[in-house]
């Protein structure tokens, strides 16, 4: 099984993170599964809806190319899942949204969900995700670490003190959520998800912490197996009808050539 993982982080400036993520995913993957992580340059930066939209365009194009190249699944390795439904409509292989998969699992772990996101600018977007995925009544808290992706670099490069500081910062954001009634804590981003992923049985008070990186990978493996077993795929009616080839060609031409196309 070959899985294409689309990160929204720059593979050069955040090389330690990309290497750590690649190693982690391939270590926890089932035997015979290979995960390839690809970044975006420029990465998601100057955090905003516009930056999310720009990165989504690149991610969709890369996902279409991955399907054409024979990958078995694509993971949108960015918790906000921008472009998720558009990519699902453009390819015939499973497409996993890290946010979608993690939020639905968290809803099975507890009733009230607390999200620790990278930056406060994403808080409203996560609440909108809850609406989109039918979980708006389950997300009780959202707050940001207000950290830059570069803040994680030292931790992923092996600096134990830096890792301890980042985990402490994560706890400082999550603890008021648990005190306020959250049953489960979700790192709403693969960066913080990978940071806490190595902490076996991590809890904040009574609340388990869900590792979104592991959830997204295992969901991808499951969906590939189900597709092979009985052809399971998203509903292709009004929800996610397959895009006509002309629409796909026009989109890819626009990405490749810009407005000159």
């Amino acid at each position: 099984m070959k899985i294409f993982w689309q990160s929204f982080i720059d593979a050069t400036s955040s090389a330690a993170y990309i290497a750590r993520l690649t190693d982690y995913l391939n270590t926890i993957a089932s035997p015979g599964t290979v995960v390839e992580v690809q970044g975006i340059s420029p990465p998601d930066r100057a955090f905003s809806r516009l930056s999310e939209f720009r990165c989504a365009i690149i991610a969709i194009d890369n996902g279409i190319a991955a399907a054409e190249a024979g990958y078995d699944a694509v993971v949108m390795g960015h918790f906000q899942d921008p472009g998720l439904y558009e990519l699902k409509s453009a390819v015939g292989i499973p497409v996993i949204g890290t946010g979608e998969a993690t939020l639905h699992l968290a809803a099975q772990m507890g009733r009230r969900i607390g999200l620790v996101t990278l930056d406060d600018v994403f808080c409203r977007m996560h609440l909108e995700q809850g609406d989109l995925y039918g979980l708006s009544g389950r997300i009780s808290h959202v707050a940001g670490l207000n950290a830059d992706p570069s803040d994680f670099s030292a931790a992923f490069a092996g600096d134990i003190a830096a890792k301890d500081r980042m985990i402490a910062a994560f706890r400082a954001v999550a603890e008021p959520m648990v005190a306020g009634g959250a049953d489960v804590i979700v790192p709403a981003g693969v960066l913080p998800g990978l940071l806490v992923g190595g902490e076996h049985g991590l809890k904040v008070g009574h609340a388990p912490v869900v590792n979104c990186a592991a959830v997204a990978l295992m969901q991808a493996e499951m969906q590939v197996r189900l597709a092979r077993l009985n052809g399971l795929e998203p509903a292709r009616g009004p929800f996610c009808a397959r895009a006509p080839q002309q629409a796909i060609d026009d989109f890819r031409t626009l990405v490749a050539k810009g407005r000159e196309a």
Side-chain angles (χ1 to χ4, degrees):
M1 188 185 302
K2 290 174 55 182
I3 296 175
F4 182 87
W5 183 288
Q6 179 66 70
S7 172
F8 279 31
I9 302 298
D10 185 270
T12 300
S13 61
S14 298
Y17 163 70
I18 295 293
R20 177 74 184 95
L21 178 61
T22 300
D23 179 67
Y24 176 73
L25 293 173
N26 282 283
T27 297
I28 68 170
S30 300
T33 296
V34 176
V35 185
E36 178 183 320
V37 178
Q38 182 164 317
I40 287 178
S41 183
D44 190 13
R45 60 187 183 183
F47 297 143
S48 60
R49 291 186 185 275
L50 190 59
S51 181
E52 295 287 298
F53 182 68
R54 172 183 61 82
C55 292
I57 291 171
I58 299 170
I60 293 167
D61 190 59
N62 287 345
I64 295 171
E68 292 176 349
Y71 285 84
D72 297 294
V74 174
V75 175
M76 191 72 76
H78 184 67
F79 199 94
Q80 288 83 327
D81 296 338
L84 176 63
Y85 287 179
E86 289 78 10
L87 181 54
K88 285 185 178 184
S89 76
V91 300
I93 61 175
V95 178
I96 310 304
T98 297
E100 183 179 44
T102 305
L103 287 173
H104 280 288
L105 179 69
Q108 298 174 55
M109 301 292 104
R111 183 70 191 174
R112 291 162 60 86
I113 303 168
L115 302 182
V116 179
T117 188
L118 194 63
D119 191 280
D120 282 335
V121 75
F122 296 127
C123 291
R124 176 60 60 181
M125 298 181 198
H126 293 317
L127 293 173
E128 291 170 1
Q129 277 185 288
D131 291 339
L132 182 63
Y133 302 150
L135 296 170
S136 58
R138 307 288 293 278
I139 297 175
S140 58
H141 302 78
V142 188
L145 281 169
N146 296 316
D148 189 86
S150 62
D151 295 335
F152 292 85
S153 296
F156 292 129
D159 187 330
I160 301 301
K163 179 181 178 182
D164 289 344
R165 286 195 301 271
M166 294 303 296
I167 291 178
F170 180 89
R171 283 187 173 278
V173 175
E175 284 169 354
M177 298 180 179
V178 178
D183 300 307
V184 57
I185 297 297
V186 173
V190 177
L191 273 165
L194 183 62
L195 178 74
V196 302
E199 305 297 303
H200 185 76
L202 180 64
K203 293 182 179 179
V204 178
H206 61 263
V209 177
V210 179
N211 178 353
C212 61
V215 171
L217 173 59
M218 293 178 183
Q219 178 72 203
E221 291 185 317
M222 181 183 72
Q223 287 202 25
V224 171
R225 290 191 172 93
L226 288 172
R228 291 174 177 175
L229 179 68
N230 57 19
L232 185 67
E233 66 173 2
R236 293 303 184 186
F239 165 68
C240 207
R242 285 297 298 273
Q245 188 61 47
Q246 183 68 66
I248 295 172
D249 293 343
D250 288 346
F251 176 83
R252 302 207 69 197
T253 298
L254 178 64
V255 175
K257 299 181 179 180
R259 295 181 68 175
E260 295 179 0

